[in-house]
Amino acid sequence: MSWWEEAVFYEVYVRSFADASGDGVGDLEGIRSRLPYLRSLGVDALWLTPFYPSPGADHGYDVADYMDVDPQFGTLADFDALVTDVHASGLRVIADVVPNHTSSRHPWFENALADPAHPDRARYVFRAGRGDGPPNNWPSNWGGPAWTKDAASGEWYLHLFAPEQPDLDWHTKQVRDDFDHILRFWLDRGIDGFRIDVAAALYKDASLRDEPEPFPESKFSTDWRRAVDQPEVHGVYRDWRRLVERYDGDRVLVGEVVFSDPTRMTPYLRDDELHMAFNFTLLFADWDAEQMRDAIDSSRAALADVAAPPTWVLENHDVTRLPTRYGARAARAAALLLLALPGPVFLYQGQELGLEEVDLPDDVREDPIFHRTQGERIGRDGCRVPLPWANGPPGFGFTTGEPWLPMPPAWSVKTVARQEDDDRSTLTLFRAALAQRPLGTFAWRESPPGTLVFSRGGLTCAVNVDGDPLALPGGVVLASEPVDRTLPPGAAAWLR
C-alpha cells in the first residue's frame, strides 16, 4: 500500500500558521520551528498553501513566479531546509500548484498587455468582444463578469476568479511545457507531491459558447458550467502522472476536483491520472445522520471502479469552521467520525484546537470575494485567522508583532499551550484519535435512526447525531466527551 492511501494530511495555511520573523505574517521558518508539534500531533504529511512570489490579490493564489519563494515567507534556502527537516521528522510535504491562472503581475501577463504581438499573449485567453461587451456571458466565481477589457488592444481577457488572476490558455503548448518545467523544479527539490488548484477547469470550452441563464444557485460553479471539465484536461494529468512516477519516493498528485456529484470525479482518478481528488461530499453535509451516511456511501460507490480511495475533509481554508457550522460538541464528535473513515483524511490547521469562525470587522477583511461582492458574500477571512499558540492577544505566540488578521481575546483558552495541559481538550482528543486511528475493512452496522455505527478492523465507531441515547455495544476506547454505557446525541465513541 502506498504511504498516502491512509495518510492524514495537515493543511498549513502558510501566512497564518507561525511567524518567525515578527512581521505578523506566517513564514517557512515558522513552520519549521513547529514541526515537533505536527509530529506529536500524529499527522503523516503537510500540505502547504502557496508560498510563491505574489502581489497577494488572493493571498498567494495569484502567482507571479512559480519557481521562487515570496520574500515575506522566506527564501528557496528556507524551503530546502524545511523539506529536509520535514523528511527528518518522518513526515511528507506536498505543495499547492496553481495552473489555472497566474497573477496579472506575472511577467508573462505583463508582456501580453504591453504588446499584443508578444508570444506571451498566447499563454492567456484574449478574445474580441461582442459589440461593446465581453465575448460571452461567463460570470466570475467571485462576482461580475469573467472578462476584463484590455483598453490598449480592445480585446478582453478571461478570469474565472478576480481580474488580477488571468486564466491561462491550456490549448497553447507553451503553457503545458511551462508546467512540466515548474513541476520538475519542485520535484527536484524533494517535494512529495502537489495539490492542484482548480484542477477540473484548466481547459475551457474553445467555442466560448454562452452558459444557459439564469445561472443556478450552487455551492460549486463546476456543477453547471459547461465551459470547464473538458476532455482535454485528462491528457494533462496523464502527462503529470508519468512525470511524478519517474521520481522515487512515491510522489503524489491530489486534485481539487470540485463537483457535488462524486461520480464526476471518477474520470480524474483512473490509474494513469491523479492519485486522489478532494471529496467535498461529506464537508457540505449538514449535521444529519442520513445526509452523512449518504455522503459516505455515495463517495465510496463512485470510486469503486477506480484504484483511488475516497478522501475525507470537514474543514479547509475556503469554508466556515466546523464548530460554527455544527456546534462545538458536534464538531468533536465529527472528528471521531472523520478519522475512522477509510482512506486519506485532510485536516485544516486549527481544526485540532476546535477553533470557531471569527466574526471580523469589515474594515480588516482582505478576501477579494468580500470586496468584489460589496460585502454580499462575507468571504473566507474568518477561517484564516492565525493560530493561537500561547499566552494572549495580540500575537498569541503566533507572532511578536501584530497579526495580519486580528485574533479574538477569547482564544486565550484555546491556545496550544492551554490545551496541551488539559486531558479533555480538543487537541488531546485529536492526538488520541490520530494515535489510535483504526485501519481495516469498513462495514456499516445496524443502528437506530439518527445514529451512524460502522466497524473498521477491530474498532467500532458510533456517532449519535440526533437520535435517542444509544446503548454502547462494547468497551469505550475513545469518546468525544465522557460517556458511560450510553451515547447521548451530539457525541461519538470508538469501541472495542
Side-chain angles (χ1 to χ4, degrees), residues 226-280:
R226 299 182 303 184
V228 301
D229 192 25
Q230 298 293 302
E232 299 96 321
V233 76
H234 298 286
V236 173
Y237 299 134
R238 284 192 286 270
D239 289 344
W240 289 11
R241 180 69 172 257
R242 285 192 291 269
L243 172 61
V244 299
E245 287 182 344
R246 289 198 286 272
Y247 285 80
D248 60 10
D250 205 4
R251 316 293 176 100
V252 67
L253 299 171
V254 188
E256 185 193 30
V257 182
V258 183
F259 302 112
S260 59
D261 178 0
T263 63
R264 292 187 65 185
M265 293 190 300
T266 304
Y268 293 83
L269 298 171
R270 290 172 286 208
D271 60 8
D272 61 346
E273 295 192 38
L274 302 178
H275 299 86
M276 291 178 280
F278 279 94
N279 170 30
F280 296 116

Side-chain angles (χ1 to χ4, degrees), residues 2-9 43-45 276 343-346 437:
S2 296
W3 67 268
W4 47 268
E5 291 183 53
E6 289 280 359
V8 177
F9 293 79
V43 298
D44 301 296
M276 291 178 280
V345 168
F346 288 82
R437 190 173 175 228

Side-chain angles (χ1 to χ4, degrees), residues 152-475:
S153 68
E155 289 191 322
W156 299 70
Y157 70 86
L158 178 67
H159 51 86
L160 289 188
F161 297 93
E164 295 85 1
Q165 296 168 287
D167 280 33
L168 289 162
D169 189 347
W170 276 82
H171 296 280
T172 302
K173 181 178 184 298
Q174 185 61 56
V175 173
R176 302 194 296 274
D177 292 344
D178 291 334
F179 277 88
D180 181 87
H181 184 54
I182 290 162
L183 266 57
R184 288 175 186 275
F185 178 85
W186 296 107
L187 290 165
D188 289 342
R189 302 191 94 88
I191 201 83
D192 294 294
F194 300 95
R195 178 264 190 188
I196 304 157
D197 190 56
V198 197
L202 306 192
Y203 278 87
K204 313 303 187 296
D205 175 14
S207 72
L208 300 185
R209 59 180 171 168
D210 280 349
E211 299 284 8
E213 295 192 62
F215 305 131
E217 292 287 334
S218 171
K219 292 184 179 76
F220 310 126
S221 70
T222 40
D223 279 347
W224 55 264
R225 281 190 191 268
R226 299 182 303 184
V228 301
D229 192 25
Q230 298 293 302
E232 299 96 321
V233 76
H234 298 286
V236 173
Y237 299 134
R238 284 192 286 270
D239 289 344
W240 289 11
R241 180 69 172 257
R242 285 192 291 269
L243 172 61
V244 299
E245 287 182 344
R246 289 198 286 272
Y247 285 80
D248 60 10
D250 205 4
R251 316 293 176 100
V252 67
L253 299 171
V254 188
E256 185 193 30
V257 182
V258 183
F259 302 112
S260 59
D261 178 0
T263 63
R264 292 187 65 185
M265 293 190 300
T266 304
Y268 293 83
L269 298 171
R270 290 172 286 208
D271 60 8
D272 61 346
E273 295 192 38
L274 302 178
H275 299 86
M276 291 178 280
F278 279 94
N279 170 30
F280 296 116
T281 315
L282 182 61
L283 184 150
F284 284 108
D286 294 330
W287 182 243
D288 176 273
E290 189 173 340
Q291 281 190 42
M292 297 174 93
R293 178 162 182 158
D294 181 67
I296 294 165
D297 284 344
S298 63
S299 300
R300 297 183 71 240
L303 273 60
D305 295 329
V306 295
T311 64
W312 310 105
V313 59
L314 288 173
E315 287 193 23
N316 65 32
H317 66 280
D318 285 332
V319 299
T320 302
R321 291 276 192 183
L322 197 63
T324 302
R325 286 161 30 218
Y326 281 4
R329 281 187 66 236
R332 287 170 58 92
L336 294 189
L337 168 67
L338 179 73
L339 290 170
L341 291 170
V345 168
F346 288 82
L347 302 178
Y348 177 48
Q349 64 177 47
Q351 187 173 349
E352 78 279 13
L353 302 178
L355 298 183
E356 66 277 3
E357 191 82 357
V358 181
D359 186 12
L360 294 162
D362 290 354
D363 61 350
V364 304
R365 290 190 177 274
E366 298 194 16
D367 193 339
I369 293 177
F370 175 79
H371 294 288
R372 281 183 58 80
T373 62
Q374 289 75 52
E376 182 180 332
R377 292 169 62 189
I378 204 70
R380 304 158 295 176
D381 294 308
C383 68
R384 299 176 175 187
V385 175
L387 287 194
W389 291 95
N391 306 319
F396 282 98
F398 162 74
T399 181
T400 56
E402 193 76 22
W404 72 277
L405 285 174
M407 303 170 69
W411 278 7
S412 294
V413 299
K414 296 206 170 181
T415 65
V416 171
R418 285 286 291 271
Q419 295 203 36
E420 283 183 325
D421 293 333
D422 181 355
D423 289 343
R424 293 188 176 184
S425 71
T426 302
L427 176 58
T428 298
L429 176 69
F430 267 85
R431 281 182 169 161
L434 286 163
Q436 301 174 72
R437 190 173 175 228
L439 300 174
T441 303
F442 174 95
W444 287 112
R445 300 177 69 169
E446 288 189 19
S447 67
T451 67
L452 301 167
V453 180
F454 59 86
S455 60
R456 281 207 74 198
L459 283 182
T460 295
C461 176
V463 185
N464 189 343
V465 178
D466 58 3
D468 294 330
L470 178 66
L472 296 178

